[in-house]
Every structure is written in C-alpha cells, then in structure tokens.
Amino acid sequence: AFDLESPCVNGTTASSTPAAAASSRASRTLAQMAEPEPLTSTLICLYYNVIGDYTKAGEYLGHSVRSFNSKGFEAPGKPRRTASLLALEAANYLVEAALPGLAQLALELADKAEAASIAKAAGIVKTRPTPGNAATRKAAAKQAAIEAAEKVKAEGGEGSEPTSIIQQRLCVSVKIALLKGNLTDALPYAEQATMYNPRDSEAWRLLGDVRYAGGSGEREAAVLAYSKAVLILDSIEPPPLKLLVRLGSLYLNLGKYEDAKQTYLMGAGSWQTCSMWLGVGIALLRLENYGEAECAFQEANIRNNRSAAVWGYMCLLCLNTGSARLTQADHAR
C-alpha cells in the first residue's frame, strides 16, 4: 500500500509547508515554460517602443535575439545582423496583417539595428556620458555614426550590410508603400530591388504588383514583371496560385490568348483548382478551340460544380457551337 503522506507521493518533504510546495511548483512551471518565439518578443519590443518604454523595448529585443540564436539559426553578416533580420521579419508579418504603420516602425527598428552593427564594425563603442550639452553630445554621436557607416560602406568587407538584408529591406519597403497606396515611393523601391538582385522572384512580383496597381496603362509592364517572376520560380518550385491567376488574367485582358492558355496550363499542372481550368477554358474559347475548351470547362466543373462562372462559360460555349446545343445552353444557364 502507498503511504499518502510519503514525500515520494506528494512531491514535498515532511517539513515543507503547503505555501512552500506551491511556490516550488510555480518555480518549476516557470522554468519549464518555453521562451517566447523570436517574432513574439520582437512584436512586444515594438509595443514598448510605441509607448516610449525604451528600456523594456531593449530587453525584449535582447530576448528575441537570444531565442533566435538558441534555436540554432544564424543571421548573415559580420557582426551578425540578427536584430535587423528579426525586425524585418516582424515588418513582413505586420504587412501580412495589413498594419502598415506598425510595419513602418519595425522597418525603422531594423534601420537602427543596422546602424548599431555598422558602428560596431567600425569600432565605435558606447562610453560614459561626458559633461556638456546633451544635444551637442547627441549630434556628435550621430555624426560619428554617419562617418563610420560611410567608411564601412566605402571599404566594403565584413562590416558592410549583407546583400540579403538590403534586399529584404527593399522588398518590405515596397509592401508598406503599396499598403499605404503610395505608388510614387513603391516604384523606385521595387525597381531598385530587381536591379539589386535580378534573380529574386519576389522583387519581380512586387514590381508587377506596383505596375498592376498603376491601372490599365501599366498592364504591359505588369505582365513583363510577373512573367519574369514566374520564369525564375518555375525552375525552383511551382509559382504561387495568385501570381499565375493574375498573370493569366492580364494576358486575357491584353488579347494574348495563347500566352494566357500556357500560363493557366502551367498552373493546372501544379494547382489542380477550378480557377486554373476555367482560365484554360476561357483562353481556348477565345481561340475558338471549342472542343478543348469544353474539356477544360468540364475539368473546372469537376473541381467545383457550384461555380456560376464555370456554368456561365459552358453556356456561352454551347451557344457558340450552334442551335443544336441550345437545350444544353439553357440547362447550363
């Protein structure tokens, strides 16, 4: 029989009080709790930045960096741009959440982290404040940091900003500008990103988004950018469904039906969706290839037999093939 008063059963010593036992359990629970994910700590850091508690903000940024390193990840650059990378990832997350104001703050945090890395690379260290006007000291420190940054950039080498961080910053800047509807700022950032790394599919996709947002007069330029993104991605992985749908619809609007058909067929091979087969069917219908168009619409219908668009195009197909299929057209309607 078990002795219910035994330390082996209740987990405490004979001399322990209930309060001490509860405290011990609480300590073990806290110790066993997983450290917050780097992104979580970075977002908390931004919160404290917003409310002006910079001490807490610094603490949470430190937590984020340590958590990132403890997971075995490694940021680029020397010194490592861990804080910059985490701030940019937070900016991307906030862009996905459609919060451009907070994303801009995260981008500014990345800029500050980069300035600190450059200062470290140039051998600038913080010292105890010296007597004198605070504004004068701040201006002198800022000027020293600028000179250090210019020196590091001019010399290149280990201290300069890693190309991957620069590219990520440019892409985030495009996304923020697009969310704000500021195409004037978005376009130069996107063009710079494509020139900085011509093999970056995301940069070309973002340039396409900027051109697309510019209206009908920019459709040709949007097609060029999107097709470049698809070409780069196709050799690595299947292009995103949204990208292929956008590119295919632009080809249709421009009357480039053969290009539209090929784009949708590429998507149908990777993404077996109704929208892909519908696009194939529309392109074939406009090419007056009614037999293959019907097959494509049937494939779309198999994947979603409640799509009004698919039934509508099947009706148009039947009407285009003559009076013999009027009954079928009526059923499709």
Side-chain angles (χ1 to χ4, degrees), residues 168-191:
Q168 195 170 345
R169 178 186 284 106
L170 289 170
C171 290
V172 169
S173 298
V174 178
K175 294 173 186 178
I176 293 172
L178 277 172
L179 268 181
K180 292 179 176 179
N182 189 348
L183 301 184
T184 305
D185 285 347
L187 182 57
Y189 282 132
E191 289 178 332

Side-chain angles (χ1 to χ4, degrees), residues 42 61 64-65 68 75-77 79-92 106-118 161-162 164-166 168-169 172:
T42 308
L61 185 59
S64 182
V65 170
F68 181 87
R80 297 292 179 194
R81 266 38 176 214
T82 308
S84 299
L85 180 64
L86 292 169
L88 289 171
E89 288 179 353
N92 261 316
L107 188 61
E108 291 170 5
L109 178 62
D111 290 339
K112 291 176 182 177
E114 177 56 29
S117 295
I118 288 176
E161 187 174 17
S164 60
I165 295 291
I166 296 172
Q168 195 170 345
R169 178 186 284 106
V172 169

Side-chain angles (χ1 to χ4, degrees), residues 40-95:
T40 303
S41 295
T42 308
L43 293 174
I44 297 173
C45 163
L46 288 173
Y47 163 75
Y48 280 115
N49 258 321
V50 169
I51 65 172
D53 191 338
Y54 303 116
T55 301
K56 280 284 188 183
E59 288 176 5
Y60 274 96
L61 185 59
H63 289 322
S64 182
V65 170
R66 286 192 295 275
S67 177
F68 181 87
N69 292 333
S70 70
K71 294 178 184 297
F73 301 135
E74 193 171 274
K78 194 171 182 181
R80 297 292 179 194
R81 266 38 176 214
T82 308
S84 299
L85 180 64
L86 292 169
L88 289 171
E89 288 179 353
N92 261 316
Y93 175 83
L94 293 164
V95 164

